[in-house]
């Protein structure tokens, strides 16, 4: 999740009141039901903050790819939803309870469907492994959570935002800490490497899109990679996981031009992205 997305998270928690996160003082992670409730709250708030794409072809295409992955995952505690945000940034992210958001910029830059579904598999992996709930527990166990929230808001939104977080305490801290460490990133990468080929797609798209992002934005990568550190070591680790699998022949990289149709429709959307 990038710097701008973390700022939006901050706004979303302000809108929802962060009720799930500030109720009680338990150090336990969120329950499944609590994560579902938080996800529903955040999704409603996101409707006011993001510029959603409503084109049925574009949204349907992304949802179909997501459902290809879900079909091979077995029963899940969450009902996943897939959204497309009109934004040129090469980014995608997951929210609690199964909401996956993909930027139009990322879709437009994907060279093939294997790259796009590889990124989506990574984000689903964060939900599957409940990394948001784990971050919640870490936030509750962090003695400086409140100060981190004030610092984050000051960086992202200036003095007024810092004052708002100062009033909301740990809510802002959780928003800032909602970025995943290296272990979580490796876990999400490994999940994608396992799941993408089971859905019939070539997992090499996972690493090739990381390379695309590095070529596009430089060594530190895009906002997607700023909290998803796609170093050469991480890319090589993912390639090793792919080589270790006994992959079947005929895994798909392309989808008979459907991605290109969607990319053309995104181009036709035109206009400025919401900031």
């Amino acid at each position: 999740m990038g710097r701008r997305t973390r700022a939006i998270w901050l706004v979303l928690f302000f809108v929802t009141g962060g009720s799930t996160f500030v109720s009680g003082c338990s150090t336990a992670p969120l329950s499944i039901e609590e994560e579902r409730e938080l996800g529903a709250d955040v999704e409603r708030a996101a409707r006011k903050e993001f510029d959603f794409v409503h084109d049925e072809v574009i949204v349907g295409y992304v949802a179909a790819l997501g459902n290809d992955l879900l079909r091979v995952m077995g029963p899940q505690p969450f009902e996943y939803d897939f959204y497309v945000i009109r934004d040129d940034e090469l980014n995608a992210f997951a929210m609690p309870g199964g909401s996956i958001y993909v930027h139009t910029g990322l879709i437009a830059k994907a060279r093939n469907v294997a790259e796009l579904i590889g990124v989506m598999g990574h984000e689903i992996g964060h939900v599957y492994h409940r990394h948001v709930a784990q971050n919640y527990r870490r936030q509750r166990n962090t003695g400086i959570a409140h100060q981190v929230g004030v610092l984050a808001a000051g960086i992202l939104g200036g003095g007024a935002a810092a004052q708002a977080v100062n009033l909301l305490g740990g809510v802002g801290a959780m928003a800032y800490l909602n970025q995943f460490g290296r272990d979580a990133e490796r876990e999400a990468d490994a999940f994608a490497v396992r799941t993408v080929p089971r859905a019939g797609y070539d997992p090499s798209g996972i690493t090739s899109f990381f390379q695309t992002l590095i070529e596009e934005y430089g060594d530190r990568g895009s906002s997607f990679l700023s909290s998803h550190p796609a170093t050469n070591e991480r890319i090589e680790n993912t390639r090793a996981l792919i080589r270790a699998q006994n992959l079947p022949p005929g895994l798909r990289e392309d989808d008979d031009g459907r991605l290109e149709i969607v990319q053309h429709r995104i181009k036709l959307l035109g206009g400025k992205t919401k900031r």
Side-chain angles (χ1 to χ4, degrees):
M1 182 181 293
R3 182 173 181 270
R4 174 175 172 268
T5 303
R6 288 197 297 274
I8 292 174
W9 261 100
L10 202 62
V11 174
L12 294 178
F13 280 114
F14 291 165
V15 173
T16 63
S19 56
T20 304
F21 285 91
V22 295
S23 58
C25 298
S26 172
T27 58
L30 295 175
S31 69
I32 293 290
E33 185 56 35
E34 286 171 335
E35 191 166 349
R36 285 196 195 107
E37 291 174 358
L38 177 63
D41 287 345
V42 172
E43 194 276 328
R44 283 191 292 270
R47 292 281 173 190
K48 303 175 182 178
E49 187 64 29
F50 294 122
D51 188 358
F52 282 81
V53 171
H54 300 290
D55 183 285
E56 292 182 0
V57 174
I58 297 172
V59 177
Y61 177 79
V62 171
L65 291 180
N67 287 329
D68 283 349
L69 295 170
L70 295 177
R71 275 192 289 271
V72 300
M73 288 168 53
Q76 298 296 305
F78 305 116
E79 292 185 7
Y80 285 77
D81 294 297
F82 299 91
Y83 303 100
V84 178
I85 297 171
R86 190 160 68 102
D87 194 302
D88 291 336
E89 187 178 18
L90 275 62
N91 199 13
F93 57 94
M95 284 190 177
S99 293
I100 307 296
Y101 295 77
V102 183
H103 285 204
T104 52
L106 188 148
I107 300 170
K109 194 66 177 179
R111 288 178 290 191
N112 53 53
V113 68
E115 291 191 342
L116 177 55
I117 201 170
V119 172
M120 293 177 64
H122 175 94
E123 294 303 328
I124 289 174
H126 282 309
V127 178
Y128 178 85
H129 288 293
R130 305 198 63 225
H131 290 150
V132 174
Q134 294 171 20
N135 281 356
Y136 170 72
R137 179 172 57 188
R138 184 173 70 245
Q139 184 267 343
R140 282 299 176 93
N141 289 330
T142 301
I144 61 169
H146 176 60
Q147 288 82 357
V148 170
V150 174
L151 175 62
I155 293 171
L156 297 174
Q163 291 175 10
V165 178
N166 196 40
L167 294 174
L168 290 170
V171 176
M174 180 58 202
Y176 184 75
L177 288 174
N178 195 61
Q179 53 183 314
F180 305 116
R182 288 184 178 272
D183 288 343
E185 295 301 345
R186 292 190 187 101
E187 200 168 31
D189 287 342
F191 175 89
V193 168
R194 292 192 310 269
T195 307
V196 166
R198 290 173 57 203
Y201 297 88
D202 189 338
S204 64
I206 300 167
T207 54
S208 66
F209 195 72
F210 286 162
Q211 291 282 13
T212 296
L213 291 174
I214 292 174
E215 292 167 6
E216 184 79 10
Y217 291 101
D219 187 56
R220 289 189 58 83
S222 68
S223 292
F224 176 80
L225 292 181
S226 66
S227 59
H228 298 63
T231 61
N232 289 330
E233 178 185 359
R234 179 182 167 197
I235 292 172
E236 286 305 314
N237 287 341
T238 304
R239 285 176 175 162
L241 290 173
I242 294 171
R243 289 194 298 268
Q245 293 195 96
N246 185 20
L247 295 176
L251 293 175
R252 300 165 63 189
E253 289 186 353
D254 299 301
D255 58 355
D256 301 320
R258 286 190 287 273
L259 174 60
E260 287 78 6
I261 291 171
V262 167
Q263 290 172 330
H264 181 67
R265 293 179 76 93
I266 287 173
K267 185 176 181 181
L268 292 176
L269 288 176
K272 294 182 179 180
T273 57
K274 186 173 182 179
R275 296 291 178 183

